[in-house]
C-alpha cells in the first residue's frame, strides 16, 4: 500500500505554535482523506522551525465504489413529487428508476446510484488546497505582490487582496509525494497561490542551502540529516537536554532543567549546538529567580547550579542553530553581552525596590488606613498601590479596597484556622505590595515570590513572609498547597473574595471560558480545605465575603467608624455605578456553593472516588466540604463490606417502595404512632430504627462515619422481616400511612450518612 509524504516549508514558525500546528495538519489531512473514502495504517507529524511534515503510511490507492439506493415516491404519486425525486436522484426520467413493491405500501420508485471510487492522487490534490488555505493559525499574514489590493499590479503580478493565501509566515515550498514503499513515487502537483507542490525541499538555511530531491519519507529524513536538519522534534529535545547535562557536568555543575524552555528552544533550532556562557559573579547577589527568568525570557538560555548545591552559578547554557567554525566563541560572546545587560537592569530593579520612594509624604493617608510603617520599603509599595487607586476590576474597585475586603475576611478565617490574627493581618496588608515593585513590573511571574524576599529583608515574621508568596497557591492541580496556618488563612481569604466578588457582579465562568481563573480559585479552596483538614462552613463565609449590603463590613478594622474607608465600604462608593446590589437571598451565595460542589466532585473523582458515592453524600446545602470528603471516603471503604451490602440492600428496598407511594400521592404519616403498630415485625423494625438512629447520631457527632454505617447496617434483617410479614398497603388508611412512616424513618435514619438511593448496585 502506498505512503504519502507532505511538507509545508516556510519562514520561521513561532516555537509556541509548532506542536499544535503539526497536530492540526495531521488531523485535518487524515480526516479529509477518511471522509473521501480512503483508509490508512498510521500517520505521524513532525516539525522544525521552518517546516511542518506529515508521514502517512499504508494509504489505500483508491476509494471504494459506492452503491446507494434513494427511495422515491409511490408510482401513483403526483407528477410534481416524481419530478422532485428525479432531480434529487439525478435521473432524467422515471425509466431510469426501479419499481419496488411493498405488500403494505404498494409500488414505489427507487433510484440505484453507483458512484465509482476515486484515485488517492485525485483525492489528495482535491483536499489539500482547502486545508492549507483555511489552516487554523492563531495569527497569520499575507505577503508579496499577491497580497496587494485587488487589481493593483507589482512586478507584473496582479494583487489578490483578501483572496490571497494567509499563512503564519511566508510559505516557500510544498512537497507532496505519493507511492509504494519500494517502487517509484510520484508528485501530486496541486497548486495554491502560485506555489505548485513538488518533490524539492531545502535543508539548513546556512549549512546546506541547496535543493534536496525527495522520493519518500525515509530518504527525506536521511537527506535532511545530511543537510543539518533534525526533523524529529523529540530527538532535538533529547539531544539538547543530554548535551546540556554533559556540558554542565564537565564544568562541575548541574543543569537546572526546564521542560517549557526545552520545548521552546527545540522549536528555535534545526541543528542544535549546545554552548556555555558566563557572567560576572557580582550578579549572583540578585535572587536566583530573577536571574533565571531574565536569562530564560530574554535569551532562551538555561541556568546551572553547583553539583549537589543550591542557588545558581554564573554559567549558563545556550543553544545555537549554527555549528560555528570558531567553536562558538563569537556566539557565546554575543549572548554574554546581552545577558550582562539584562542582569544589570535586574540588579537595578532589585536595589531600587529596597530603597525609599520619593513621595513618602503623599503616602501617609494610605499608610494610616492600613497601619503601614513608611520606614519599610514593602510598606511603602503597599501605600503606593493604594494611593494610586490601581484598579482591580472596574466593578469591584481598586487593589487597595480589595485588600481591605480580604483583611476583614481573613480576620474571621484566622480564628477558624487557628492562626495568629496579628500575623494574618500583617500578611494581608503586605500580600499585594510587590505589585508596585520594579522586579514584578518586569517579571509578573514573580509576584508573591518577590514579596516574600522583600518581606524577609525588612525583618517580617517568617510566617508573614511565607504567606505573601503562598497566598496565591495552589495555582493548579499539581501545585503545592500552603501548610502554614497564616498562609492558609490569607490564601483562603484571597480566593474567596475573588469568587464572591465575581459572582456578585455576574462574571461567572461560561462553558470553556474562564478569563478570571475562577475554576482554579475554587479548586484551590477545595484543595486547601481537604488537604489541610480545615473545617469551614462555606455558606456563612461566602455570605460575609459578598460585596454589598450583606458582606462588606461597615467599619474599617483599622481606621474606625468615622473614617473615609469605612464610609466607602458601607455605601459601596468604591464600586463602579454599574455594580449590582447583592442580595444573597436571591441565590447568589447558593449558586456559588453549587460551583464549589462541582469543583469538589472533580477533585474527588480525580482521587478515585465513585461519582455515585459522591452524589450520595453531597447534598445541595452541604457547605463543610471536608466532612463531605470524609463521608465519601468512609462510604467508599464501607460499601464493599458485608455490612455495607446489608446497609445498601435494606435501605434501597425501603426507600424505593416509599418513593413509589409518594409519587402516587399516597398519604404518609408525619411520624410513627406506636399504637398503630399491630404486627411483631413492624414493632421490631421501629425498635431497630430508634436504636440504630441513636448509635448513628452518636457516631456522627464523633465524626466516626464508619461506626454510624455499621449501626445502620443492622436494619437489614428487620427491614427484610418487615417486607416478609407486613403488607404495607393495608386497607386501613391510618395503618397504611403509619407503615409508610416507618419506611420514611428508615430513609431519614440512613440519610444522616448518605442518600443510598443514588448508589449503584
Amino acid at each position: 500500500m502506498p505512503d504519502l509524504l507532505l511538507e509545508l516549508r516556510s519562514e520561521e514558525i513561532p516555537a509556541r505554535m509548532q506542536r499544535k500546528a503539526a497536530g492540526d495538519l495531521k488531523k485535518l489531512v487524515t480526516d479529509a482523506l477518511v471522509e473521501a473514502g480512503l483508509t490508512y495504517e498510521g500517520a505521524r507529524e513532525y516539525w522544525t522551525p521552518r517546516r511542518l511534515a506529515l508521514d502517512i503510511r499504508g494509504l489505500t490507492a483508491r476509494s471504494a465504489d459506492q452503491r446507494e439506493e434513494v427511495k422515491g415516491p409511490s408510482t401513483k404519486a403526483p407528477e410534481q413529487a416524481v419530478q422532485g425525486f428525479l432531480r434529487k436522484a439525478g435521473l432524467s426520467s422515471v425509466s431510469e428508476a426501479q419499481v419496488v413493491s411493498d405488500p403494505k405500501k404498494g409500488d414505489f420508485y427507487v433510484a440505484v446510484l453507483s458512484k465509482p471510487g476515486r484515485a488517492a492522487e485525485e483525492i489528495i490534490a482535491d483536499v489539500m488546497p482547502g486545508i492549507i488555505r483555511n489552516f487554523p493559525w492563531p495569527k497569520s499574514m499575507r505577503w508579496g505582490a499577491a497580497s496587494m489590493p485587488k487589481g493593483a499590479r507589482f512586478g507584473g503580478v496582479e494583487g489578490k487582496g483578501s483572496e490571497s493565501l494567509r499563512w503564519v509566515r511566508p510559505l516557500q515550498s510544498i512537497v507532496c509525494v505519493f507511492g509504494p514503499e519500494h517502487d517509484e513515487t510520484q508528485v501530486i502537483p496541486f497548486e495554491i497561490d502560485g506555489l505548485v507542490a513538488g518533490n524539492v525541499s531545502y535543508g539548513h538555511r546556512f549549512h546546506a542551502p541547496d535543493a534536496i530531491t525527495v522520493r519518500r519519507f525515509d530518504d527525506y529524513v536521511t537527506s535532511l540529516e545530511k543537510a543539518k536538519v533534525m526533523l524529529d522534534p523529540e530527538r532535538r529535545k533529547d539531544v539538547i537536554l543530554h548535551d546540556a547535562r554533559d556540558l554542565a557536568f564537565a564544568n562541575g555543575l548541574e543543569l537546572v532543567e526546564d521542560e517549557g524552555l526545552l520545548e521552546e528552544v527545540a522549536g528555535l533550532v534545526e541543528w542544535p549546538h549546545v554552548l556555555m556562557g558566563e557572567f560576572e559573579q557580582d550578579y549572583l547577589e540578585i535572587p536566583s529567580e530573577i536571574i533565571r527568568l531574565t536569562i530564560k525570557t530574554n535569551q532562551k538560555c538555561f541556568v546551572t547550579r553547583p553539583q549537589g548545591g543550591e542557588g545558581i552559578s554564573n554559567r549558563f547554557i545556550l543553544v545555537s542553530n549554527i555549528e560555528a567554525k570558531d567553536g562558538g566563541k563569537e556566539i557565546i560572546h554575543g549572548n554574554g553581552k546581552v545577558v550582562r545587560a539584562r542582569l544589570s537592569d535586574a540588579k537595578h530593579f532589585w536595589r531600587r525596590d529596597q530603597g525609599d520612594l520619593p513621595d513618602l509624604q503623599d503616602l501617609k493617608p494610605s499608610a494610616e488606613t492600613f497601619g503601614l510603617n513608611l520606614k519599610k520599603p514593602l510598606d511603602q509599595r503597599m501605600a503606593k498601590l493604594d494611593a494610586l487607586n490601581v484598579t482591580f476590576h472596574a466593578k469591584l474597585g481598586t487593589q487597595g479596597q480589595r485588600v481591605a475586603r480580604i483583611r476583614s475576611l481573613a480576620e474571621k478565617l484566622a480564628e477558624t484556622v487557628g492562626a495568629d490574627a496579628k500575623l494574618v493581618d500583617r500578611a494581608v496588608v503586605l500580600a499585594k505590595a510587590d505589585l508596585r515593585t520594579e522586579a514584578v513590573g518586569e517579571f509578573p511571574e514573580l509576584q508573591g515570590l518577590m514579596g516574600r524576599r522583600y518581606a524577609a529583608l525588612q525583618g517580617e515574621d517568617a510566617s508573614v513572609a511565607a504567606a505573601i508568596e503562598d497566598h496565591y497557591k495552589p495555582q493548579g492541580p499539581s501545585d503545592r498547597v500552603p501548610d502554614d496556618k497564616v498562609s492558609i488563612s490569607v490564601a483562603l481569604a484571597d480566593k474567596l473574595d475573588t469568587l464572591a466578588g465575581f459572582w456578585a457582579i455576574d462574571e461567572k465562568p461560561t462553558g470553556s471560558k474562564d478569563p478570571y481563573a475562577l475554576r482554579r480559585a475554587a479548586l484551590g479552596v477545595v484543595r486547601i480545605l481537604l488537604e489541610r483538614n480545615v473545617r469551614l462552613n462555606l455558606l456563612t463565609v461566602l455570605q460575609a465575603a459578598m460585596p454589598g449590603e450583606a458582606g462588606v463590613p461597615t467599619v474599617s478594622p483599622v481606621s474606625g467608624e468615622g473614617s473615609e474607608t469605612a464610609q466607602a465600604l458601607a455605601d459601596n462608593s468604591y464600586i463602579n455605578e454599574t455594580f449590582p446590589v447583592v442580595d444573597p437571598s436571591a441565590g447568589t451565595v447558593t449558586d456559588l456553593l453549587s460551583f464549589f460542589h462541582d469543583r469538589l466532585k472533580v477533585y474527588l473523582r480525580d482521587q478515585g472516588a465513585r461519582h455515585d458515592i459522591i452524589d450520595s453524600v453531597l447534598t445541595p446545602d452541604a457547605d463543610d466540604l471536608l466532612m463531605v470528603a470524609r463521608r465519601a471516603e468512609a462510604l467508599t471503604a464501607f460499601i464493599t463490606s458485608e455490612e455495607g451490602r446489608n446497609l445498601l440492600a435494606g435501605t434501597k428496598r425501603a426507600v424505593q417502595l416509599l418513593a413509589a407511594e409518594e409519587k402516587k400521592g399516597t398519604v404518609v404519616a408525619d411520624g410513627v404512632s406506636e399504637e398503630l403498630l399491630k404486627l411483631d415485625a413492624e414493632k421490631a423494625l421501629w425498635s431497630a430504627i430508634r436504636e440504630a438512629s441513636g448509635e448513628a447520631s452518636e457516631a456522627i457527632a464523633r465524626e466516626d462515619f464508619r461506626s454510624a454505617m455499621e449501626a445502620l447496617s443492622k436494619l437489614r434483617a428487620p427491614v427484610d422481616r418487615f417486607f416478609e410479614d407486613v403488607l404495607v398497603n393495608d386497607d386501613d388508611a391510618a395503618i397504611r400511612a403509619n407503615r409508610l412512616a416507618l419506611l420514611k424513618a428508615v430513609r431519614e435514619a440512613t440519610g444522616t450518612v448518605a442518600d443510598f438511593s443514588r448508589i449503584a448496585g
Side-chain angles (χ1 to χ4, degrees), residues 271-519:
W271 193 250
H273 189 57
V274 176
L275 304 168
M276 178 174 282
E278 66 178 312
F279 54 85
E280 285 73 20
Q281 289 274 357
D282 292 349
Y283 289 119
L284 293 179
E285 72 174 69
I286 309 170
S288 60
E289 295 85 2
I290 296 181
I291 296 175
R292 183 176 179 180
L293 261 180
T294 298
I295 293 176
K296 171 183 176 178
T297 304
N298 295 303
Q299 287 303 104
K300 313 304 178 190
C301 295
F302 298 85
V303 296
T304 62
R305 60 178 168 237
Q307 290 183 3
E310 297 181 356
I312 62 173
S313 77
N314 67 325
R315 303 283 189 92
F316 61 92
I317 299 288
L318 62 103
V319 183
S320 170
N321 193 35
I322 299 174
E323 195 172 309
K325 294 179 180 178
D326 65 354
K329 291 181 181 178
E330 283 300 315
I331 296 172
I332 293 170
H333 176 70
N335 276 268
K337 284 178 64 177
V338 178
V339 166
R340 290 184 192 94
R342 297 294 188 181
L343 290 179
S344 179
D345 291 341
K347 190 174 182 178
H348 173 72
F349 298 149
W350 170 245
R351 289 180 172 174
R352 281 279 297 269
D353 287 340
Q354 297 174 57
D356 290 338
L357 294 174
D359 53 350
L360 293 183
Q361 285 297 117
D362 298 335
L363 304 180
K364 286 185 176 180
S366 294
E368 292 175 2
T369 298
F370 291 99
L372 298 166
N373 181 356
L374 290 182
K375 293 181 180 180
K376 296 184 175 184
L378 199 58
D379 291 56
Q380 295 175 22
R381 271 70 187 174
M382 177 57 214
K384 186 73 172 180
L385 184 72
D386 180 61
L388 288 174
N389 290 321
V390 176
T391 300
F392 168 64
H393 186 280
K395 296 179 182 180
L396 292 174
T398 68
Q399 285 283 8
Q401 291 155 347
R402 180 173 182 243
V403 169
R405 296 198 303 272
I406 296 173
R407 193 178 188 187
S408 174
L409 187 57
E411 182 182 11
K412 299 178 177 66
L413 291 170
E415 184 177 352
T416 302
V417 174
D420 185 309
K422 290 184 179 179
L423 295 181
V424 168
D425 188 68
R426 181 64 174 162
V428 170
V429 298
L430 295 180
K432 307 296 181 183
D434 65 357
L435 297 178
R436 290 304 306 165
T437 62
E438 296 194 38
V440 173
E442 180 72 10
F443 300 112
E445 308 97 311
L446 295 179
Q447 64 183 9
L449 191 148
M450 293 312 302
R452 179 175 190 164
R453 289 272 189 168
Y454 294 134
L457 284 174
Q458 69 179 35
E460 299 296 333
D461 186 280
S463 291
V464 171
I468 293 173
E469 177 182 3
D470 289 352
H471 83 281
Y472 289 108
K473 296 184 177 298
Q475 294 190 322
S478 59
D479 194 16
R480 66 179 177 85
V481 175
D483 53 9
D484 184 274
K485 290 183 178 181
V486 175
S487 298
I488 290 171
S489 302
V490 182
L492 286 173
D494 178 73
K495 292 170 176 59
L496 291 169
D497 173 78
T498 299
L499 288 157
F502 283 107
W503 242 254
I505 61 173
D506 199 26
E507 292 277 0
K508 298 176 284 189
T510 56
S512 61
K513 295 183 179 180
D514 187 9
Y516 304 112
L518 301 181
R519 291 188 180 94

